[in-house]
Amino acid sequence: MNFKEAYQKLEECGQLHVLDYYDELTLQEQEALLEQIDTVDFKVLKYCKNNTTNQKGRIAPLTAMQLAQINAKREYYTAIGLEEIKKGKVAAVLLAGGMGTRLGSDNPKGMFDIGITRPVYIFQRIMENLLEVVEAAGAWVHLFVMTSDKNHDVTIRFFEEKKYFGYKKEFVTFFKQEMVPASDYEGKVYMEEKGKISTSPNGNGGWFTSMRKWGLVDFVKREGIEWLNVFAVDNVLQRIADPCFVGAVIANKCVSGAKVVKKKTPDERVGTLCLEDGKPSIVEYYELTEEMKEARDEHGEPAYNFGVILNYLFREKDLEAIEESELPLHVVEKKIPYIDKEGNAVLPDQPNGYKYETLVLDMIHQVDNCLSYEVERNKEFAPIKNATGVDSVDTARELCKENGIVL
Ligand code: UTP
């Protein structure tokens, strides 16, 4: 893209300030900026005052398959799941493209070391858990790792350095998610440098589209993979490609499944799996109404009692029908580093604008049904979101110890 074309594109979307420092840039920097202007999709910015996520349909509870029910059929479900894994029909997708801003580490979250007497990296915990399934099934499980522009190379280097934590390298494939511009509250993009627009990963909802762009959906089909278990990087007790979960989804003729835990309190900060206009849907904790918090089921238990832990099983063929553009766009307030009018780099300590994201949890509403599958909270849910306090390194360490994991 030449300067004139770039000028026109920016003028049309009200972003001409991107060229404020153009004359100060070296030739190389100018070329890089023109290339970035060419590739950046500015369309999302129009949502800065119009978050598309707020209109929900009619919400009703979705009954979860609870632990007692699962335990009664554990062997049966596990056998079905193991069989599918043995046949190579199940793969896993690790969502590791996030910025982990709350944890406050510059490295990818998975490189965070939660060890005390020895190094125990988050990635290591994930690979160890997956290895247990590989051993039980006697077959390797393909793992696709989503990264972003911000952490792709360093993530791959880390896996190489750690020899894939004992996993078979040929079964681990990295792919990058797309980036979108970050803006101020008026929808004007921030500049990260004089010659670089500030961009951030486009949320975890774009994973399947990004896999497609990387040719991985073709690969999945060639390999005969039918189920994709997508999960978050930050739960150090996450069970991946869990045979019992896979078997339960298949045996109950569901097209997707979501692992859920019993909420600690009705307003705990986890999404609630329910029905929206008859289809599965996840209501965020801040969208729960008082009425929903107080609603009871026929046993007198809270009707919206189960929270999702970002561990979903999707049938691959259903994912192909979902267009990323159909997913609602979440406009999220965040701290965005930028350069000010004088060209000084600013690292804000308070949110100063918006990032634009689609979320994997919204994909659940695009499929016909979803098995809400309860897991034992203290055995499978140890999220690390914050440096201290709730869902932090400290709480995750306690839970690891409780599960006999030497730190
Ligand atoms: P979070 O919602 O916790 O976001 O991600 P985050 O970016 O990691 O952390 P904060 O909010 O900045 O502190 C949940 C999961 O989704 C992945 C994360 O890596 C994590 O596994 N994710 C999030 C992506 O893969 N891409 C994204 O753009 C955002």
Side-chain angles (χ1 to χ4, degrees):
M1 177 171 264
N2 62 31
F3 181 84
K4 200 171 153 212
E5 289 162 338
Y7 188 95
Q8 257 171 9
K9 180 172 178 183
L10 293 172
E11 193 174 33
E12 275 163 26
C13 48
Q15 305 288 344
L16 271 178
H17 63 287
V18 167
L19 295 171
D20 277 357
Y21 304 101
Y22 190 78
D23 294 336
E24 292 178 35
L25 304 177
T26 63
L27 211 59
Q28 226 178 6
E29 289 167 339
Q30 288 181 339
E31 271 171 23
L33 179 59
L34 293 180
E35 197 186 316
Q36 196 189 19
I37 296 167
D38 188 19
T39 52
V40 163
D41 177 6
F42 293 100
K43 283 199 290 291
V44 287
L45 301 167
K46 67 172 185 265
Y47 295 105
C48 75
K49 296 217 170 73
N50 177 21
N51 197 330
T52 63
T53 58
N54 293 331
Q55 313 89 21
K56 281 257 183 272
R58 202 176 53 79
I59 302 293
L62 171 65
T63 310
M65 175 180 268
Q66 298 191 29
L67 284 168
Q69 278 168 285
I70 296 169
N71 287 337
K73 289 193 164 180
R74 188 165 289 279
E75 277 180 30
Y76 169 64
Y77 290 152
T78 303
I80 295 176
L82 280 176
E83 199 47 39
E84 291 298 289
I85 295 166
K86 267 189 203 143
K87 288 192 211 142
K89 292 192 174 176
V90 183
V93 182
L94 163 56
L95 302 174
M99 301 279 282
T101 47
R102 282 170 288 173
L103 186 59
S105 161
D106 287 340
N107 276 329
K109 217 183 217 184
M111 284 173 64
F112 199 86
D113 178 7
I114 60 161
I116 298 167
T117 61
R118 60 172 191 137
V120 179
Y121 304 99
I122 295 181
F123 280 140
Q124 176 183 346
R125 288 271 45 280
I126 286 167
M127 301 314 283
E128 283 170 355
N129 282 353
L130 188 53
L131 267 169
E132 282 182 20
V133 176
V134 169
E135 272 159 31
W140 291 95
V141 174
H142 278 288
L143 174 69
F144 303 102
V145 184
M146 183 164 86
T147 62
S148 83
D149 265 357
K150 306 260 181 196
N151 65 17
H152 188 73
D153 297 340
V154 56
T155 301
I156 295 178
R157 265 203 310 277
F158 189 68
F159 270 83
E160 287 282 338
E161 193 185 300
K162 302 294 175 199
K163 303 202 168 18
Y164 290 75
F165 302 99
Y167 213 76
K168 200 168 188 181
K169 183 177 166 172
E170 292 73 26
F171 281 80
V172 183
T173 311
F174 299 89
F175 68 101
K176 267 197 243 179
Q177 68 177 107
E178 316 314 302
M179 304 292 283
V180 283
S183 76
D184 67 13
Y185 294 115
E186 301 305 313
K188 299 274 182 218
V189 293
Y190 275 117
M191 296 301 286
E192 191 175 313
E193 294 165 19
K194 289 185 175 179
K196 195 170 178 198
I197 298 166
S198 169
T199 57
S200 69
N202 64 346
N204 57 28
W207 64 276
F208 193 73
T209 310
S210 300
M211 276 184 76
R212 187 182 283 131
K213 285 192 182 145
W214 280 67
L216 294 177
V217 173
D218 291 338
F219 174 83
V220 161
K221 285 195 198 150
R222 270 200 313 274
E223 290 287 306
I225 294 165
E226 290 178 10
W227 296 93
L228 291 172
N229 179 203
V230 50
F231 65 98
V233 70
D234 44 28
N235 173 5
V236 287
L237 292 180
Q238 189 87 268
R239 304 303 311 182
I240 303 131
D242 173 350
C244 188
F245 178 41
V246 173
V249 170
I250 293 173
N252 288 283
K253 302 206 173 354
C254 290
V255 299
S256 76
K259 284 197 169 187
V260 296
V261 290
K262 206 169 260 180
K263 289 200 254 176
K264 277 186 177 156
T265 56
D267 48 9
E268 186 182 355
R269 289 170 151 242
V270 288
T272 306
L273 184 55
C274 32
L275 289 173
E276 177 186 350
D277 296 331
K279 285 184 83 180
S281 177
I282 291 159
V283 172
E284 296 265 37
Y285 67 91
Y286 50 82
E287 295 172 324
L288 278 182
T289 58
E290 284 309 311
E291 199 185 326
M292 287 172 74
K293 285 181 203 166
E294 280 157 25
R296 301 278 144 180
D297 65 14
E298 69 272 23
H299 309 293
E301 294 288 325
Y304 297 93
N305 207 11
F306 292 94
V308 286
I309 60 169
L310 220 173
N311 188 321
Y312 304 106
L313 187 70
F314 287 100
R315 202 167 63 167
E316 191 276 332
K317 67 177 175 200
D318 298 276
L319 290 165
E320 290 187 42
I322 302 177
E323 285 297 330
E324 198 191 340
S325 56
E326 287 169 17
L327 298 178
L329 194 70
H330 294 249
V331 181
V332 196
E333 235 190 314
K334 292 259 178 168
K335 294 181 236 172
I336 303 159
Y338 67 101
I339 51 161
D340 63 17
K341 284 205 161 47
E342 285 70 47
N344 305 311
V346 184
L347 257 180
D349 52 14
Q350 293 298 322
N352 60 332
Y354 295 131
K355 289 186 175 177
Y356 300 82
E357 303 185 331
T358 57
L359 301 181
V360 58
L361 58 84
D362 290 315
M363 294 171 98
I364 288 292
H365 190 49
Q366 306 288 328
V367 296
D368 289 341
N369 56 54
C370 179
L371 179 72
S372 179
Y373 176 96
E374 187 188 5
V375 296
E376 218 171 306
R377 182 169 185 129
N378 280 16
K379 286 195 174 153
E380 294 206 23
F381 190 41
I384 299 182
K385 296 285 182 193
N386 309 299
T388 53
V390 182
D391 296 343
S392 66
V393 183
D394 295 339
T395 55
R397 276 183 179 149
E398 280 311 309
L399 286 162
C400 280
K401 282 188 209 157
E402 215 179 294
N403 284 282
I405 295 157
V406 180
L407 295 177

